[in-house]
Amino acid sequence: MEDKEYWLWSVKAAFGVNHHLPEGAKRQIHIVRVARRLIDDQNLPAGCKYLVDALEKFRHVYKDSRKYTRVTFDQRKCSPEEEEHMRVEVGDWAGD
């Protein structure tokens, strides 16, 4: 399965579809990658592009441009008994 398709299905399953945001609504997204091995911090945003695109497609963010959406990223190592995963938090944002 392609990464893009994977994230479309994952967002659909976790958040649902057709979230009705008012036009121009500002949102913030915080994504935390939890994995056995950390990756370079500059590569983290690129690795989450399809996830952010899927949130936009299903209207959990109005548009993924800087004007409407603030996206932050973090990562941490998982413990030996913990499975690798992504944590995604989406909320309102007052804007700059």
Side-chain angles (χ1 to χ4, degrees):
M1 179 183 303
E2 295 282 330
D3 285 346
K4 186 173 187 174
E5 187 178 342
Y6 170 83
W7 284 113
L8 286 172
W9 281 105
S10 294
V11 166
K12 187 176 183 180
F15 292 99
V17 296
N18 297 327
H19 188 75
H20 297 289
L21 279 178
E23 189 168 322
K26 294 185 177 188
R27 304 286 271 172
Q28 62 182 15
I29 304 168
H30 183 63
I31 300 170
V32 179
R33 177 183 179 268
V34 181
R36 301 204 190 305
R37 184 177 62 84
L38 299 181
I39 62 173
D40 188 282
D41 286 335
Q42 286 74 33
N43 291 335
L44 193 53
C48 296
K49 180 187 179 345
Y50 291 138
L51 167 56
V52 175
D53 289 348
L55 289 167
E56 180 181 8
K57 177 179 176 64
F58 293 122
R59 308 251 324 139
H60 296 286
V61 297
Y62 174 64
K63 293 190 182 206
D64 66 357
S65 73
R66 289 174 160 271
K67 182 176 179 180
Y68 300 105
T69 305
R70 170 192 277 167
V71 184
T72 56
F73 306 92
D74 202 358
Q75 61 179 329
R76 69 172 177 81
K77 286 188 173 184
C78 59
S79 63
E81 60 276 345
E82 186 178 19
E83 287 191 35
E84 294 182 323
H85 64 279
M86 300 283 269
R87 188 179 75 215
V88 181
E89 300 169 2
V90 180
D92 294 328
W93 173 46
D96 288 333

